[in-house]
Amino acid sequence: MKKIVSLMLILTMVLSLNTVSLFDASAATTDISDKIFNTIRDSHSNFEIEKDDVSFKYIKELTGNKYLVRYTVSCLAYPCDVPRIDIGRYILISSRPLPEVYVNGALYHLEDAYEGGILTDEDLELMDTFKELDFSKTKISHSLKSKSGSSGGGEYVNVMFEVEGSEKTIEDIENWTEDIVGSMNELEAFYDTLHERLINETLSEYDHIDIHHNEGMSLVAVKKTDVEKIAQDDFVQYMDFVNEIHAKYIDTYNSGLSKDHIFEYITNGFDENYNCVYTLIKAHGNYADCISIGFRLGDVIVSSDSIYSNFTYKYGVYDYEEDKFYDLFDLIDTPDKYRDLQEKLVEYCNARIIGDCDNDKVLTVLDATKIQRMIAKIDAYPKHYSYQPHSNNQAPGYIADVNNDGEISVLDATAVQQKLAQI
């Protein structure tokens, strides 16, 4: 029995070593600097690691002075599995330890680097060319894959389709600047033919519900069990999951399918019985008037770098009971309509608390003191202490104008003290 166990352990080690050697075929082991060494220690929160414990390899250089690296620490234990990592529209299959991104003296896991904008789509395209990686493009997003599969019976799932030709833009039309309107009409007609081909050819043998299409993208509900089979069609380039709220948003505003469109779930809001009442959403298209604006919603200031369509300040609320979307600006006269909304805007959306003159996201006696010092001209007014409403006939507002009378006075410092005292 012991011999069998020993053989299994040896086999596992050999397989693991083979995987590593395939990955690092052309990567060079290098001596590490104190900066990299201390970064590795910090990333593991382990200051007992010695330099001799670390084997560090540069795999390839990415764009923007970033590097794909891989390192091992001999005093640490690594699982022998070979996980699949979903990054954007790509899949990485690798033994452990997994490759990481090294940039500006910091190490990042690939998923964190991509979500944080450090690892770009251009980087991913470049990584797809690296022979050292088992890295490949996928047609099915991670979120859609988790919703589909062999189970699910006759249930439908909303799918956003990109097809061959979806990437075409007006700039691909010859001499488009000479006839912009005509070129736009030509492009829309081209997009319509893509959608018709998807519906009438690719999906003709599958049960489906045609929901919406624009700008070369199509939203269609298909059976969960058909997702994998549909992805095998060469015309289909990418399939992504769209949940019911996003689908409602697209239907409500007749938008949301362009590749530059933003739709993000921020957080949910609950009532006192912990029932989900609303969802805070960030959503906007790729067209906006670039101007810094803001407005007062109850006791917070919501700001934006542009004026957007649908949600003026980028954010909105979906009300489950009313089955309705609200632009945040539409709530200006009913700021307490949704429980904890103002607190969530401060936490997730960079909203400013009225009276928070030191911008630490907390109202304290120091803010009252700051207002008094500004009035006495001991301190200068802080940067961004004012905000300009998007309506031209409205006067600017002020972070320090706690009582909302349009002026900065000792009454505002008193109002801060009263809030702190819960008067």
Side-chain angles (χ1 to χ4, degrees):
M1 181 66 181
K2 290 182 178 179
K3 289 183 178 180
I4 294 174
V5 172
S6 298
L7 286 170
M8 290 177 66
L9 288 172
I10 291 170
L11 179 60
T12 301
M13 292 173 65
V14 169
L15 289 173
S16 178
L17 287 171
N18 283 339
T19 308
V20 172
S21 64
L22 283 172
F23 185 93
D24 294 327
S26 64
T29 303
T30 182
D31 294 332
I32 61 172
S33 64
D34 290 339
K35 188 175 185 179
I36 294 177
F37 173 59
N38 290 327
T39 299
I40 292 173
R41 275 184 157 189
D42 290 340
S43 65
H44 290 279
S45 300
N46 186 339
F47 297 96
E48 295 182 1
I49 297 174
E50 301 293 340
K51 250 189 184 182
D52 291 341
D53 297 328
V54 181
S55 175
F56 189 89
K57 299 181 179 182
Y58 285 97
I59 300 171
K60 288 281 188 177
E61 184 175 2
L62 301 171
T63 62
N65 199 30
K66 293 170 286 192
Y67 296 89
L68 193 65
V69 303
R70 181 170 181 164
Y71 66 90
T72 57
V73 182
S74 60
C75 60
L76 300 179
Y78 297 98
C80 292
D81 63 330
V82 182
R84 161 189 162 142
I85 310 297
D86 291 89
I87 311 162
R89 297 186 178 186
Y90 293 82
I91 297 172
L92 171 69
I93 298 176
S94 170
S95 59
R96 298 181 189 273
L98 299 171
E100 297 186 21
V101 175
Y102 179 71
V103 57
N104 296 330
L107 285 164
Y108 299 90
H109 296 301
L110 295 183
E111 309 101 296
D112 296 337
Y114 183 71
E115 290 177 7
I118 296 167
L119 196 63
T120 66
D121 289 327
E122 185 181 356
D123 290 320
L124 298 185
E125 290 179 14
L126 183 59
M127 288 168 60
D128 195 20
T129 68
F130 294 169
K131 295 180 180 179
E132 298 85 355
L133 297 179
D134 186 353
F135 194 73
S136 58
K137 201 165 189 177
T138 178
K139 285 189 175 182
I140 305 175
S141 71
H142 179 65
S143 58
L144 178 57
K145 188 173 287 290
S146 66
K147 298 291 181 182
S148 58
S150 57
S151 61
E155 295 180 17
Y156 283 90
V157 59
N158 295 326
V159 178
M160 189 85 76
F161 283 89
E162 283 186 31
V163 298
E164 184 180 345
S166 292
E167 71 282 358
K168 184 173 181 177
T169 66
I170 192 171
E171 294 178 358
D172 296 316
I173 298 176
E174 188 175 355
N175 300 323
W176 68 273
T177 56
E178 299 175 7
D179 182 10
I180 296 177
V181 174
S183 297
M184 289 180 65
N185 291 335
E186 179 183 336
L187 184 62
E188 286 300 318
F190 173 75
Y191 287 152
D192 286 341
T193 62
L194 295 182
H195 181 72
E196 290 170 6
R197 179 177 170 184
L198 174 69
I199 296 298
N200 299 328
E201 296 182 24
T202 302
L203 301 179
S204 61
E205 298 180 1
Y206 302 96
D207 290 335
H208 64 272
I209 302 171
D210 185 359
I211 300 174
H212 193 79
H213 73 279
N214 66 16
E215 296 192 35
M217 313 283 281
S218 298
L219 178 60
V220 184
V222 300
K223 295 287 184 66
K224 291 182 176 182
T225 51
D226 291 333
V227 169
E228 293 280 355
K229 291 178 286 186
I230 294 170
Q232 295 175 16
D233 192 297
D234 291 338
F235 183 58
V236 175
Q237 300 296 302
Y238 192 65
M239 301 165 66
D240 197 5
F241 170 66
V242 175
N243 84 6
E244 292 301 323
I245 297 179
H246 192 176
K248 286 178 182 288
Y249 176 86
I250 292 169
D251 184 57
T252 300
Y253 297 105
N254 193 34
S255 65
L257 294 182
S258 69
K259 290 175 281 293
D260 296 325
H261 180 82
I262 299 297
F263 187 94
E264 299 175 8
Y265 293 90
I266 306 299
T267 188
N268 291 324
F270 301 86
D271 62 18
E272 59 277 4
N273 297 317
Y274 300 101
N275 297 312
C276 186
V277 175
Y278 66 92
T279 293
L280 179 60
I281 298 165
K282 178 181 179 181
H284 60 81
N286 53 345
Y287 302 108
D289 292 329
C290 294
I291 181 173
S292 295
I293 54 173
F295 80 100
R296 180 167 179 159
L297 181 66
D299 289 329
V300 301
I301 301 299
V302 180
S303 302
S304 177
D305 53 2
S306 298
I307 301 174
Y308 294 93
S309 57
N310 304 337
F311 293 162
T312 312
Y313 288 76
K314 296 188 288 190
Y315 297 101
V317 166
Y318 174 71
D319 186 309
Y320 286 90
E321 183 177 354
E322 297 182 24
D323 188 21
K324 180 178 179 181
F325 290 96
Y326 284 97
D327 184 336
L328 274 188
F329 188 72
D330 292 338
L331 302 175
I332 190 169
D333 295 324
T334 55
D336 298 318
K337 178 178 176 70
Y338 297 105
R339 186 171 179 256
D340 297 331
L341 175 60
Q342 294 176 48
E343 290 81 357
K344 293 181 187 300
L345 292 172
V346 172
E347 182 176 359
Y348 299 105
C349 307
N350 294 318
R352 294 278 304 275
I353 301 173
I354 286 291
D356 179 19
C357 295
D358 57 8
N359 198 24
D360 63 355
K361 295 193 174 184
V362 181
L363 198 63
T364 68
V365 68
L366 296 177
D367 294 306
T369 303
K370 180 74 172 178
I371 292 174
Q372 293 172 329
R373 291 175 65 87
M374 288 190 298
I375 294 170
K377 298 184 179 180
I378 299 173
D379 288 350
Y381 286 101
K383 188 178 181 181
H384 305 311
Y385 83 101
S386 64
Y387 58 94
Q388 178 63 50
H390 68 271
S391 178
N392 292 328
N393 59 1
Q394 288 182 286
Y398 305 96
I399 294 291
D401 184 14
V402 183
N403 64 2
N404 202 24
D405 65 354
E407 299 179 355
I408 310 296
S409 70
V410 70
L411 296 177
D412 296 304
T414 302
V416 171
Q417 295 167 336
Q418 290 176 330
K419 282 179 176 290
L420 295 174
Q422 297 183 345
I423 297 176

